[in-house]
Amino acid sequence: KDPQTDCYAGAIDQIPQGWYDTGKWFPLTLTAEDYPGEVYYYYSEFATGMFADFNYGHGDVCADSPAFKAVVNAIGTWLECGVDGLRLDAVKHIYADEGGYENIQFWKAFYNAINTHYATYAEFREDLTGKADENIFMVGECLSGEDVCLPFYEGLPSVFDFQYWWSLRDVLNNENGSGFVGGMCDRYYAHLNKRADAIYTPKISNHDEDRTAHTPGGYTPKIRLAATMLLTSPGRPIVYQGEELGYWGHKGNGDEY
């Protein structure tokens, strides 16, 4: 067992010597009738109690783990309700090594498993929405450059183009659009060339960044220009909740903006 890939939960006295790090193990007091008050510890590579690492095992066999099956089963409930797309946060952080191949192996298994469920509920979905798409839409969030993001197309049909917003932000701030369209076109074809069913997904800001309206200091013409550029760009544009209402704020205030 490797704590950075398996990350099991267990009693503190069962954690092998040398593994215990007070910055990465967090207590959980059980409330079940059979074990009232018993304290277990779970591991978080991010060193925060908000992000427990599920024990999926290694990437090539993750689909066999109880944790993986439980997550897929839970999402199946939403598919029954007609959900036809998933936005996946932090796709490079399933395993501790964010550049490792196990993350891609996980998402490949995840997409295949969810898509199988999705096909099962095609009839329900058609009754609810009037259509029965063959494959579910998934877009992965990978807050990195193209060299890190593009390999995830091996497992997913879409990955956010973060560079789109970074480049457009410079256009707004510098009032110079030179090179923007050429760069976008290069990335567009780079994304589509990664897999046959790839969907290019541009975006402006998201929850990890300052709001779009904050970037030009709340100057309405630039905010509208950013929205116009996004909605007339190729691919399937994604709008972060609140952007359509002109919300603004910066990350210095945390996520509550």
Side-chain angles (χ1 to χ4, degrees):
K1 294 289 185 177
D2 179 340
Q4 290 193 343
T5 56
D6 294 310
C7 305
Y8 68 13
I12 193 65
D13 59 0
Q14 295 175 341
I15 299 174
Q17 187 175 8
W19 282 13
Y20 182 64
D21 179 340
T22 55
K24 293 188 177 182
W25 289 92
F26 297 84
L28 174 67
T29 302
L30 302 184
T31 58
E33 294 182 3
D34 294 340
Y35 308 97
E38 187 169 344
V39 179
Y40 276 68
Y41 290 77
Y42 61 90
Y43 183 84
S44 170
E45 179 62 24
F46 282 107
T48 168
M50 295 175 62
F51 293 105
D53 289 9
F54 288 172
N55 184 359
Y56 293 120
H58 290 286
D60 58 343
V61 293
C62 64
D64 297 328
S65 69
F68 184 95
K69 294 175 181 178
V71 169
V72 170
N73 185 59
I75 292 174
T77 302
W78 291 104
L79 300 184
E80 290 184 51
C81 296
V83 168
D84 59 1
L86 298 173
R87 185 265 192 204
L88 309 167
D89 197 56
V91 295
K92 66 180 181 179
H93 292 307
I94 298 299
Y95 292 88
D97 179 7
E98 65 180 53
Y101 187 60
E102 284 192 305
N103 289 308
I104 295 172
Q105 289 177 314
F106 173 88
W107 289 116
K108 188 174 184 177
F110 179 85
Y111 178 76
N112 290 337
I114 296 300
N115 221 16
T116 299
H117 276 259
Y118 189 71
T120 302
Y121 300 118
E123 183 178 339
F124 295 98
R125 195 164 55 254
E126 189 169 18
D127 289 341
L128 288 167
T129 66
K131 61 181 180 178
D133 294 333
E134 182 178 349
N135 298 309
I136 191 171
F137 173 68
M138 289 188 192
V139 57
E141 185 248 30
C142 181
L143 185 54
S144 296
E146 301 299 288
D147 57 327
V148 177
C149 294
L150 291 181
F152 281 93
Y153 274 104
E154 183 176 335
L156 298 170
S158 185
V159 181
F160 283 125
D161 179 8
F162 271 88
Q163 188 61 51
Y164 179 93
W165 171 233
W166 299 337
S167 298
L168 182 54
R169 185 175 56 195
D170 290 341
V171 169
L172 297 174
N173 289 333
N174 301 325
E175 299 187 0
N176 185 341
S178 176
F180 174 78
V181 173
M184 178 192 65
C185 290
D186 289 343
R187 294 192 307 278
Y188 172 77
Y189 288 110
H191 282 240
L192 295 191
N193 287 336
K194 295 303 291 186
R195 62 185 286 161
D197 61 344
I199 300 171
Y200 177 66
T201 309
K203 54 163 279 301
I204 39 181
S205 73
N206 81 345
H207 70 105
D208 288 318
E209 303 167 301
D210 293 344
R211 283 280 188 182
T212 299
H214 180 84
T215 297
Y219 183 51
T220 302
K222 288 187 176 181
I223 298 170
R224 289 177 173 170
L225 176 60
T228 301
M229 293 295 291
L230 175 68
L231 297 177
T232 57
S233 291
R236 183 175 295 181
I238 298 292
V239 177
Y240 171 43
Q241 184 178 18
E243 297 285 85
E244 77 283 5
L245 300 175
Y247 284 7
W248 73 292
H250 61 87
K251 285 297 292 184
N253 293 334
D255 282 335
E256 297 181 4
Y257 63 84

